[in-house]
Amino acid sequence: MTDSEPAIVIVGTFDSKPDEHRFLRKAIEENGLPTRTMHVGTLAPSPFPVDLDLFREVLGSGPPPARDRAIAAIIHEARSVAKQWYGTGLIRGMISAGGGTGTHICTSIMRTLPLGIPKVMVSTVASRDMSQIVGTSDIAMIHSVVDLLGINSVSGGVLSRAAGAVCGMARSRWRPQGRNKRVALTMFGFITEAALGIREELERLGHEVIAFHANGTGGMAMEKLAAEGFFHGILDLATHEFADELTGGYCRGIGPERLRLPPGRNIPRLVIPGGLDCAVLEFTRKDIPSRYRGRKIFFYDFRSAVRLSTRETTLIAQQVAERINPSPETVKVLIPMGGWSEADREGGPLYDPQSARVFLERLERDLDPRIE
């Protein structure tokens, strides 16, 4: 491998998992791809030669800092290096193997790489909730099944397949064919019919439609790609996430960027209260929480949709107005007058035109008058 050749970067805590990362390096090189190694351990220098040893670079001189500070310093420097390597064309993919700490360190580094750069994490904790670990990135998590303590008949197989996976991803040749303008579309289950119709019409007009599930992470992934300049427009059909964020529902997890104009971007956005009629919560008709008895409920599967109260509806209208007011030149609001979900149509289990009027009145009161 030359110093300027793009390679699969093997990043990891080589001080605690040396055998696993040497195995990955050998397996990838046997697959015909070059490798580049980055040691991000905080216990000791790498026990074998590597391209970059951040323990030596960051922690090598002076008394060792507290463990949390050492990890933070390593992550900070490694993210900077990863961005530099990517910017100069040195990264073709990234892979790692680790336990809880190694997973935290290495996925923090992977998340600095853009969508489309292969990222594979073999982890002993991959069977747990990975929502904060993966975030809005396209990291592929592989459960190690066994703990990572050297190479054996189980761990070797898992690591070999992971190496094959990152090599296969790196060799992918697919590229989008069209040069149509890209429109982001948010959607979720209760407004699928509307989303399908909108996609068909936008494609008829010559646009490429890229849909995001309004499940918390989906909306934030859309905002991240919008900030990177990926879209020419946003059709925010499903703003349902605000209801679940307020009530602790199934699709919670939005951040402060949701619905806000990305800095330095002038992206037109149409905002629709799709799914803002209800919060989706995990209960069935057999175990309705006492605080929701007496409300309109749509029993869906293992989840149920609860019609929002007047207070909740008012709070969400305030939040929507507050987030879109700073960008009056680029945003418009469309209010469907026949209901905001397939359960909110006339005769549906959540139909409540009075609640919709409360939302509209509060939104019009708080909205910048320049927003149509």
Side-chain angles (χ1 to χ4, degrees), residues 38 54 74-86 109 112:
M38 182 194 303
L54 286 181
I74 286 282
I75 290 174
H76 176 78
E77 183 62 23
R79 286 167 66 94
S80 177
V81 170
K83 290 177 184 177
Q84 179 186 348
W85 283 4
Y86 171 74
I109 301 162
T112 65

Side-chain angles (χ1 to χ4, degrees), residues 99-100 103-104 107 111 121 123-136 139 141-143 215-217 248-253 282:
T103 299
H104 166 65
T107 55
R111 288 196 299 271
M121 182 74 223
S123 173
T124 63
V125 296
S127 61
R128 302 177 67 86
D129 179 2
M130 292 287 104
S131 57
Q132 298 302 310
I133 290 290
V134 174
T136 59
I139 298 172
M141 299 294 300
I142 296 179
H143 188 208
N215 58 4
T217 302
Y250 188 77
C251 295
R252 66 189 181 276
E282 292 185 75

Side-chain angles (χ1 to χ4, degrees), residues 149-358:
L149 188 65
I151 305 302
N152 54 56
S153 56
V154 176
S155 65
V158 171
L159 292 169
S160 177
R161 289 186 288 275
V166 77
C167 291
M169 293 177 190
R171 289 191 172 105
S172 170
R173 291 289 180 266
W174 184 86
R175 296 292 182 272
Q177 298 298 313
R179 296 184 177 273
N180 296 346
K181 289 188 175 181
R182 294 184 292 266
V183 176
L185 172 69
T186 53
M187 62 175 286
F188 87 125
F190 301 169
I191 55 174
T192 299
E193 187 177 338
L196 290 172
I198 288 168
R199 174 195 167 191
E200 182 179 345
E201 181 64 14
L202 284 171
E203 289 180 345
R204 188 186 69 80
L205 293 170
H207 300 299
E208 180 185 5
V209 178
I210 301 172
F212 293 84
H213 189 189
N215 58 4
T217 302
M220 293 307 299
M222 182 197 71
E223 301 290 0
K224 181 174 183 288
L225 287 173
E228 294 173 3
F230 202 78
F231 304 117
H232 299 89
I234 298 171
L235 205 162
D236 230 331
L237 174 66
T239 44
H240 165 79
E241 295 161 308
F242 283 86
D244 281 11
E245 185 71 17
L246 181 65
T247 59
Y250 188 77
C251 295
R252 66 189 181 276
I254 60 174
E257 301 87 3
R258 187 69 179 95
L259 267 189
R260 298 189 191 277
L261 184 70
R265 302 289 179 187
N266 202 27
I267 307 170
R269 184 190 305 244
L270 180 64
V271 177
I272 302 172
L276 276 183
D277 52 301
C278 62
V280 175
L281 304 161
E282 292 185 75
F283 67 82
T284 67
R285 63 179 72 243
K286 296 179 180 179
D287 58 349
I288 304 171
S290 58
R291 63 185 178 279
Y292 296 123
R293 290 173 188 161
R295 291 212 205 178
K296 293 183 176 183
I297 301 177
F298 174 39
F299 297 104
Y300 191 58
D301 43 30
F302 63 95
R303 300 157 295 177
S304 297
V306 179
R307 185 78 209 200
L308 296 180
S309 68
T310 299
R311 175 182 170 276
E312 291 162 346
T313 297
T314 301
L315 285 172
I316 291 172
Q318 290 176 277
Q319 291 175 4
V320 170
E322 184 270 330
R323 293 199 183 207
I324 66 176
N325 273 340
S327 49
E329 298 84 8
T330 60
V331 68
K332 292 185 179 182
V333 180
L334 175 66
I335 306 292
M337 301 307 291
W340 299 352
S341 77
E342 291 164 21
D344 184 35
R345 61 179 51 161
E346 187 171 0
L350 299 180
Y351 186 60
D352 186 358
Q354 173 58 32
S355 181
R357 282 194 291 271
V358 168

